[in-house]
Amino acid sequence: MSSRSRSSRQGSSRISDDQIVDLVSKLRSLLPEIRNGRRSDKVSASKVLQETCNYIRNLHQEVDDLSERLSQLLQTIDPDSAEASIIRSLIM
Amino acid sequence: MELLWQDGQVVVKSQRSPRKPHDHSVNLSPSVAAAVRGGSPAPVGDPLLLQHHHQQQLEDAVNNNHLFIQEDEMSSWLFSDFCSDLLLPSAPVVTSSVPSCPLPALPPPKRLDSFGHFSRPNPLADEATVVDSSDTPMATRASEDATRVGAQFASPVVRAASSRDQAGTSPSSASSASADPIPSTKTEDVACPPKVAEDGAPEERKRKARDCDWSNDGEDVEPVLNDDKRVSRGSSSTKRSRAAEVHNQSERRRRDRINEKMRALQELIPHCNKADKASMLDEAIGYLKSLQMQVQMMSMGCGMMPMMFPGMQQYIPHTGMGMNRPMIPFPNVFNSSTLPTASVGPHMGPGSRFPAFQMSPRIPAPDPSRILHSSQSDATLSSSSLQNSNLPRMPGFMDPYQNFFGLPHMHFHFQLSQASTSSSAKPTTSKAGETSQKESPD
């Protein structure tokens, strides 16, 4: 990668800053952040990472809650039904 | 660490060893330096601390080959003069090297007194001006290091300086520190005005540099080199290098924060064994997408459960959190607007006929005809409204799903294996399966 030559003085990290900026912006686009009055170029990388961590934890929590709900629903229906198998696959 | 005077500025020095002796050195004007050197090294204010410090300074001076000797002399002279009242109450705390406990203990009125004392003695006349200009760097380093390292005897004065400076310059720093929540960086912004000549628009540029310049791990070598050059040159270049040091310090701290968060992120991502940041970020992005997808699936499943949801199966990320199927071809689904008869409640018990299950998204036109043939408009409309209300979390997905779920009276044909290999599902076989399924109960 041509950017690697620029990173020769950066020691152990052989990734270019542009790459990281690009990834961070991609990450930011995934996050449900407030876009309304906040200039997007001022968000620091650490903030994006923090938001990502929080968001992932939230999603984990949601998955757990939904799994709980689905398993409860599973008990209400006929376990041999196709829906039951669907729900089981959802719960994973 | 301790804050000491070196050449008219505060130098942060490690007490044990010259770990970072060069980091925060500031320039003292030559006259003051001479005065300091001429001063007696005998500590007056707080004998215990100052002597201890004096010894340390001597060792460090020998080690560093710098003008650190005068630091202690200056410090003892200064503190004997006016800071004894500040020192003595806080001395026991300082000796124990408690980092930030003495900070709130400093009474506000004493701030101004300590700076009033600066201008009192005659030899200090030059220093008063120097001190004023170098106030902010002192404040900078004081706040930086007071938060990080144990406070030494010099810290009460510097803390006073920092508190006064922060109070005085908080309006200017508040505006420029909007993007950075850490308070220490605010004081760095405070330090910028004295060096405006070189930096121009220091805050934004620095912050942008920080934002872009993330992976500069090799910069740790630079501050040491800068310090050596700085001492050898005159005082004019030291301002520039001081700015560079401040920048390096903030940059280093920012990088530490980012690395810490990267580690936290790495822990959250399952099976992430990537060492470099870019691939880890890539994986984080993919994982986040799949998590979002999974949550959507599950919430839809929960919403649909009371009703007999038809072709959910192929949308279920069975294996590996949906990584196999990052993009589900929603538009390929049924184009008909009919909806499943899976309305909530009574007339749709589990024993009744299930809506048909669509095996593959690539089933073309014949299916819509089949759907229309057996649709029940009332139920579908009601269930569509129900779907809309039950699944508020998926605004973007609802329409394609509504198109897809137009299978009111087709039989449920569920095959887990086919779902996992949906990409290779053959329309013909699935169609055949459906027709057979459909026709049998009829």
Side-chain angles (χ1 to χ4, degrees):
Chain A
M1 215 182 278
S2 61
S3 58
R4 297 255 175 94
S5 59
R6 187 156 34 107
S7 64
S8 60
R9 85 177 245 289
Q10 288 176 358
S12 58
S13 64
R14 285 174 300 276
I15 319 153
S16 77
D17 295 333
D18 291 340
Q19 243 183 319
I20 291 183
V21 166
D22 178 49
L23 290 172
V24 166
S25 65
K26 270 196 232 163
L27 206 46
R28 201 160 68 219
S29 66
L30 289 173
L31 296 178
E33 60 163 350
I34 33 167
R35 289 186 175 94
N36 305 330
R38 176 139 172 95
R39 287 179 47 201
S40 55
D41 60 338
K42 287 197 92 160
V43 182
S44 72
S46 77
K47 184 117 171 63
V48 170
L49 286 176
Q50 182 65 48
E51 293 298 320
T52 304
C53 289
N54 293 340
Y55 188 48
I56 289 182
R57 286 194 201 106
N58 286 342
L59 287 180
H60 282 167
Q61 188 63 40
E62 263 191 65
V63 165
D64 291 340
D65 292 341
L66 285 171
S67 302
E68 180 91 23
R69 262 179 70 189
L70 282 175
S71 56
Q72 285 172 3
L73 284 173
L74 191 57
Q75 293 160 7
T76 66
I77 65 170
D78 178 15
D80 296 330
S81 67
E83 294 169 342
S85 39
I86 290 182
I87 294 173
R88 264 179 248 124
S89 62
L90 274 176
I91 297 175
M92 241 168 287
Chain B
M1 297 271 271
E2 54 206 16
L3 295 152
L4 306 161
W5 285 99
Q6 187 238 344
D7 284 342
Q9 294 174 352
V10 175
V11 172
V12 174
K13 261 187 66 6
S14 135
Q15 198 178 11
R16 303 282 181 280
S17 61
R19 195 176 5 127
K20 289 185 182 180
H22 316 284
D23 279 352
H24 305 282
S25 61
V26 177
N27 279 332
L28 193 68
S29 67
S31 60
V32 184
V36 169
R37 237 179 265 108
S40 78
V44 177
D46 195 346
L48 175 69
L49 272 172
L50 294 176
Q51 271 177 359
H52 178 53
H53 214 64
H54 186 59
Q55 290 161 8
Q56 289 288 331
Q57 289 315 306
L58 284 176
E59 294 169 7
D60 294 333
V62 169
N63 294 338
N64 297 336
N65 192 21
H66 280 301
L67 305 169
F68 284 142
I69 269 191
Q70 54 182 323
E71 295 167 4
D72 181 55
E73 295 170 358
M74 164 66 92
S75 51
S76 62
W77 172 52
L78 286 174
F79 287 110
S80 65
D81 200 10
F82 54 82
C83 289
S84 57
D85 58 341
L86 286 175
L87 263 184
L88 291 175
S90 62
V93 185
V94 175
T95 48
S96 63
S97 301
V98 174
S100 51
C101 292
L103 261 170
L106 259 187
K110 289 204 172 182
R111 292 189 293 221
L112 302 173
D113 294 343
S114 65
F115 282 101
H117 288 129
F118 267 110
S119 54
R120 257 203 283 122
N122 281 338
L124 275 173
D126 291 341
E127 188 207 345
T129 56
V130 175
V131 164
D132 285 338
S133 65
S134 60
D135 232 8
T136 48
M138 262 172 56
T140 302
R141 276 146 209 115
S143 58
E144 282 177 11
D145 298 306
T147 54
R148 277 201 305 181
V149 191
Q152 297 298 319
F153 72 96
S155 54
V157 176
V158 189
R159 255 179 273 128
S162 70
S163 51
R164 190 187 86 158
D165 266 346
Q166 279 179 358
T169 56
S170 55
S172 64
S173 63
S175 59
S176 55
S178 57
D180 205 330
I182 307 280
S184 60
T185 55
K186 277 191 192 163
T187 57
E188 289 165 12
D189 292 334
V190 167
C192 289
K195 306 164 209 135
V196 157
E198 294 131 25
D199 294 341
E203 293 88 12
E204 287 80 20
R205 215 182 294 152
K206 281 186 181 178
R207 202 159 285 106
K208 275 184 184 157
R210 280 179 222 146
D211 284 345
C212 298
D213 197 12
W214 183 12
S215 56
N216 278 339
D217 293 327
E219 266 192 12
D220 288 341
V221 182
E222 292 182 13
V224 180
L225 301 172
N226 283 342
D227 293 340
D228 290 339
K229 293 177 207 156
R230 184 185 356 101
V231 172
S232 58
R233 289 186 210 138
S235 61
S236 60
S237 60
T238 57
K239 286 186 183 173
R240 211 172 299 123
S241 47
R242 208 191 317 151
E245 281 173 20
V246 168
H247 179 70
N248 288 342
Q249 283 294 310
S250 61
E251 181 65 34
R252 202 177 306 136
R253 248 175 296 118
R254 176 182 159 266
R255 261 185 281 119
D256 289 342
R257 274 202 306 276
I258 288 177
N259 288 337
E260 179 187 324
K261 295 192 166 55
M262 290 281 291
R263 279 194 297 271
L265 188 59
Q266 191 174 19
E267 283 166 20
L268 282 174
I269 297 176
H271 311 301
C272 178
N273 52 356
K274 302 291 184 298
D276 60 336
K277 293 176 186 170
S279 63
M280 214 206 79
L281 283 178
D282 272 332
E283 199 156 324
I285 289 169
Y287 179 67
L288 191 53
K289 281 184 190 158
S290 67
L291 256 190
Q292 283 174 338
M293 184 71 67
Q294 186 190 10
V295 167
Q296 281 166 356
M297 291 303 146
M298 294 177 82
S299 59
M300 180 178 301
C302 279
M304 295 291 284
M305 242 320 281
M307 341 161 189
M308 311 306 173
F309 51 90
M312 273 296 300
Q313 190 273 330
Q314 60 178 324
Y315 287 79
I316 294 165
H318 282 283
T319 55
M321 315 282 284
M323 286 283 208
N324 301 340
R325 261 183 287 163
M327 277 315 298
I328 290 176
F330 295 122
N332 293 348
V333 191
F334 288 124
N335 294 327
S336 79
S337 59
T338 57
L339 291 161
T341 56
S343 51
V344 179
H347 61 280
M348 211 60 165
S352 62
R353 285 192 293 177
F354 301 109
F357 170 70
Q358 187 63 35
M359 289 311 302
S360 149
R362 290 192 215 95
I363 293 182
D367 294 335
S369 62
R370 255 183 285 154
I371 293 164
L372 287 167
H373 177 65
S374 54
S375 68
Q376 286 181 359
S377 54
D378 297 342
T380 57
L381 286 173
S382 63
S383 56
S384 73
S385 62
L386 267 170
Q387 286 177 29
N388 280 330
S389 59
N390 285 350
L391 304 169
R393 269 181 257 157
M394 287 180 285
F397 284 114
M398 275 322 295
D399 293 337
Y401 271 96
Q402 284 171 5
N403 286 338
F404 170 71
F405 289 134
L407 308 168
H409 279 289
M410 305 183 75
H411 280 283
F412 200 82
H413 187 64
F414 182 82
Q415 286 183 12
L416 286 169
S417 57
Q418 278 214 359
S420 59
T421 59
S422 70
S423 55
S424 58
K426 301 176 183 58
T428 54
T429 56
S430 57
K431 260 189 281 181
E434 279 183 13
T435 45
S436 65
Q437 285 281 330
K438 179 180 185 288
E439 287 165 3
S440 54
D442 291 343

PDB file of all heavy atoms in Angstrom, chain B residues 73 100 127 129 131-132 137 153 253 321 326 330 372 410 433:
ATOM      1  N   GLU B  73      17.011  25.948  44.093  1.00  0.00           N
ATOM      2  CA  GLU B  73      17.343  27.198  44.762  1.00  0.00           C
ATOM      3  C   GLU B  73      16.210  28.194  44.576  1.00  0.00           C
ATOM      4  O   GLU B  73      15.748  28.838  45.496  1.00  0.00           O
ATOM      5  CB  GLU B  73      18.629  27.756  44.185  1.00  0.00           C
ATOM      6  CG  GLU B  73      19.811  26.855  44.463  1.00  0.00           C
ATOM      7  CD  GLU B  73      21.027  27.287  43.679  1.00  0.00           C
ATOM      8  OE1 GLU B  73      20.915  28.246  42.906  1.00  0.00           O
ATOM      9  OE2 GLU B  73      22.070  26.666  43.854  1.00  0.00           O
ATOM     10  N   SER B 100      -4.256  14.443  43.986  1.00  0.00           N
ATOM     11  CA  SER B 100      -5.172  15.553  43.762  1.00  0.00           C
ATOM     12  C   SER B 100      -5.932  15.937  45.010  1.00  0.00           C
ATOM     13  O   SER B 100      -6.825  16.763  44.960  1.00  0.00           O
ATOM     14  CB  SER B 100      -6.149  15.203  42.651  1.00  0.00           C
ATOM     15  OG  SER B 100      -6.727  13.959  42.923  1.00  0.00           O
ATOM     16  N   GLU B 127      11.070  38.712  36.855  1.00  0.00           N
ATOM     17  CA  GLU B 127      10.350  37.455  36.837  1.00  0.00           C
ATOM     18  C   GLU B 127       8.858  37.686  36.793  1.00  0.00           C
ATOM     19  O   GLU B 127       8.126  36.874  36.275  1.00  0.00           O
ATOM     20  CB  GLU B 127      10.720  36.649  38.075  1.00  0.00           C
ATOM     21  CG  GLU B 127      10.169  35.253  38.031  1.00  0.00           C
ATOM     22  CD  GLU B 127       9.966  34.717  39.406  1.00  0.00           C
ATOM     23  OE1 GLU B 127      10.526  35.328  40.335  1.00  0.00           O
ATOM     24  OE2 GLU B 127       9.249  33.741  39.575  1.00  0.00           O
ATOM     25  N   THR B 129       7.181  39.765  35.097  1.00  0.00           N
ATOM     26  CA  THR B 129       6.721  39.800  33.717  1.00  0.00           C
ATOM     27  C   THR B 129       6.853  38.416  33.087  1.00  0.00           C
ATOM     28  O   THR B 129       5.977  37.961  32.364  1.00  0.00           O
ATOM     29  CB  THR B 129       7.531  40.800  32.907  1.00  0.00           C
ATOM     30  OG1 THR B 129       8.909  40.445  33.026  1.00  0.00           O
ATOM     31  CG2 THR B 129       7.321  42.192  33.461  1.00  0.00           C
ATOM     32  N   VAL B 131       6.822  35.707  34.568  1.00  0.00           N
ATOM     33  CA  VAL B 131       5.825  34.791  35.133  1.00  0.00           C
ATOM     34  C   VAL B 131       4.483  35.021  34.484  1.00  0.00           C
ATOM     35  O   VAL B 131       3.764  34.085  34.175  1.00  0.00           O
ATOM     36  CB  VAL B 131       5.728  35.000  36.652  1.00  0.00           C
ATOM     37  CG1 VAL B 131       4.456  34.360  37.182  1.00  0.00           C
ATOM     38  CG2 VAL B 131       6.933  34.392  37.322  1.00  0.00           C
ATOM     39  N   ASP B 132       4.165  36.275  34.263  1.00  0.00           N
ATOM     40  CA  ASP B 132       2.848  36.513  33.673  1.00  0.00           C
ATOM     41  C   ASP B 132       2.745  35.877  32.308  1.00  0.00           C
ATOM     42  O   ASP B 132       1.748  35.301  31.944  1.00  0.00           O
ATOM     43  CB  ASP B 132       2.603  38.018  33.545  1.00  0.00           C
ATOM     44  CG  ASP B 132       2.298  38.609  34.900  1.00  0.00           C
ATOM     45  OD1 ASP B 132       1.877  37.840  35.777  1.00  0.00           O
ATOM     46  OD2 ASP B 132       2.497  39.811  35.078  1.00  0.00           O
ATOM     47  N   PRO B 137       1.609  28.540  30.589  1.00  0.00           N
ATOM     48  CA  PRO B 137       2.270  27.236  30.511  1.00  0.00           C
ATOM     49  C   PRO B 137       2.356  26.590  31.879  1.00  0.00           C
ATOM     50  O   PRO B 137       2.200  25.392  32.020  1.00  0.00           O
ATOM     51  CB  PRO B 137       3.661  27.565  29.986  1.00  0.00           C
ATOM     52  CG  PRO B 137       3.515  28.867  29.316  1.00  0.00           C
ATOM     53  CD  PRO B 137       2.419  29.593  30.024  1.00  0.00           C
ATOM     54  N   PHE B 153       5.812  19.835  46.222  1.00  0.00           N
ATOM     55  CA  PHE B 153       5.690  21.079  46.959  1.00  0.00           C
ATOM     56  C   PHE B 153       5.503  22.244  46.026  1.00  0.00           C
ATOM     57  O   PHE B 153       5.004  23.275  46.418  1.00  0.00           O
ATOM     58  CB  PHE B 153       6.897  21.293  47.851  1.00  0.00           C
ATOM     59  CG  PHE B 153       8.134  21.635  47.069  1.00  0.00           C
ATOM     60  CD1 PHE B 153       8.523  22.952  46.877  1.00  0.00           C
ATOM     61  CD2 PHE B 153       8.903  20.629  46.508  1.00  0.00           C
ATOM     62  CE1 PHE B 153       9.663  23.246  46.170  1.00  0.00           C
ATOM     63  CE2 PHE B 153      10.041  20.941  45.803  1.00  0.00           C
ATOM     64  CZ  PHE B 153      10.421  22.252  45.630  1.00  0.00           C
ATOM     65  N   ARG B 253      -1.891  11.910  24.975  1.00  0.00           N
ATOM     66  CA  ARG B 253      -3.035  11.549  25.804  1.00  0.00           C
ATOM     67  C   ARG B 253      -4.213  11.141  24.965  1.00  0.00           C
ATOM     68  O   ARG B 253      -4.957  10.211  25.293  1.00  0.00           O
ATOM     69  CB  ARG B 253      -3.404  12.720  26.709  1.00  0.00           C
ATOM     70  CG  ARG B 253      -3.124  12.398  28.157  1.00  0.00           C
ATOM     71  CD  ARG B 253      -3.372  13.560  29.031  1.00  0.00           C
ATOM     72  NE  ARG B 253      -2.447  14.634  28.710  1.00  0.00           N
ATOM     73  CZ  ARG B 253      -2.830  15.813  28.278  1.00  0.00           C
ATOM     74  NH1 ARG B 253      -4.076  16.092  28.130  1.00  0.00           N
ATOM     75  NH2 ARG B 253      -1.946  16.735  28.007  1.00  0.00           N
ATOM     76  N   MET B 321     -24.468 -15.026  13.228  1.00  0.00           N
ATOM     77  CA  MET B 321     -25.045 -13.681  13.340  1.00  0.00           C
ATOM     78  C   MET B 321     -25.306 -13.054  11.991  1.00  0.00           C
ATOM     79  O   MET B 321     -25.151 -11.857  11.829  1.00  0.00           O
ATOM     80  CB  MET B 321     -24.106 -12.763  14.136  1.00  0.00           C
ATOM     81  CG  MET B 321     -23.566 -13.393  15.369  1.00  0.00           C
ATOM     82  SD  MET B 321     -24.762 -13.378  16.669  1.00  0.00           S
ATOM     83  CE  MET B 321     -24.670 -11.709  17.140  1.00  0.00           C
ATOM     84  N   PRO B 326     -25.085 -10.829   4.599  1.00  0.00           N
ATOM     85  CA  PRO B 326     -25.128  -9.420   4.983  1.00  0.00           C
ATOM     86  C   PRO B 326     -26.209  -8.650   4.255  1.00  0.00           C
ATOM     87  O   PRO B 326     -26.785  -7.728   4.805  1.00  0.00           O
ATOM     88  CB  PRO B 326     -23.747  -8.896   4.601  1.00  0.00           C
ATOM     89  CG  PRO B 326     -23.232  -9.868   3.607  1.00  0.00           C
ATOM     90  CD  PRO B 326     -23.848 -11.187   3.928  1.00  0.00           C
ATOM     91  N   PHE B 330     -34.169  -7.749  -0.398  1.00  0.00           N
ATOM     92  CA  PHE B 330     -35.572  -7.441  -0.156  1.00  0.00           C
ATOM     93  C   PHE B 330     -36.369  -7.174  -1.402  1.00  0.00           C
ATOM     94  O   PHE B 330     -37.499  -7.590  -1.511  1.00  0.00           O
ATOM     95  CB  PHE B 330     -35.685  -6.231   0.765  1.00  0.00           C
ATOM     96  CG  PHE B 330     -35.150  -6.492   2.121  1.00  0.00           C
ATOM     97  CD1 PHE B 330     -34.138  -5.704   2.633  1.00  0.00           C
ATOM     98  CD2 PHE B 330     -35.644  -7.510   2.873  1.00  0.00           C
ATOM     99  CE1 PHE B 330     -33.657  -5.943   3.893  1.00  0.00           C
ATOM    100  CE2 PHE B 330     -35.146  -7.758   4.130  1.00  0.00           C
ATOM    101  CZ  PHE B 330     -34.156  -6.962   4.647  1.00  0.00           C
ATOM    102  N   LEU B 372     -52.287 -13.772  -5.035  1.00  0.00           N
ATOM    103  CA  LEU B 372     -53.509 -13.009  -5.291  1.00  0.00           C
ATOM    104  C   LEU B 372     -54.712 -13.929  -5.370  1.00  0.00           C
ATOM    105  O   LEU B 372     -55.810 -13.585  -4.969  1.00  0.00           O
ATOM    106  CB  LEU B 372     -53.354 -12.231  -6.603  1.00  0.00           C
ATOM    107  CG  LEU B 372     -52.405 -11.031  -6.511  1.00  0.00           C
ATOM    108  CD1 LEU B 372     -52.061 -10.519  -7.882  1.00  0.00           C
ATOM    109  CD2 LEU B 372     -53.040  -9.956  -5.672  1.00  0.00           C
ATOM    110  N   MET B 410     -50.985 -19.539   1.672  1.00  0.00           N
ATOM    111  CA  MET B 410     -50.096 -20.582   1.219  1.00  0.00           C
ATOM    112  C   MET B 410     -49.546 -21.304   2.427  1.00  0.00           C
ATOM    113  O   MET B 410     -49.389 -20.740   3.491  1.00  0.00           O
ATOM    114  CB  MET B 410     -48.961 -19.971   0.403  1.00  0.00           C
ATOM    115  CG  MET B 410     -49.517 -19.145  -0.729  1.00  0.00           C
ATOM    116  SD  MET B 410     -48.248 -18.483  -1.758  1.00  0.00           S
ATOM    117  CE  MET B 410     -47.765 -19.900  -2.657  1.00  0.00           C
ATOM    118  N   GLY B 433     -42.180 -27.344  -4.452  1.00  0.00           N
ATOM    119  CA  GLY B 433     -42.534 -27.664  -3.072  1.00  0.00           C
ATOM    120  C   GLY B 433     -43.756 -26.893  -2.626  1.00  0.00           C
ATOM    121  O   GLY B 433     -44.643 -27.410  -1.969  1.00  0.00           O
TER     122      GLY B 433
END
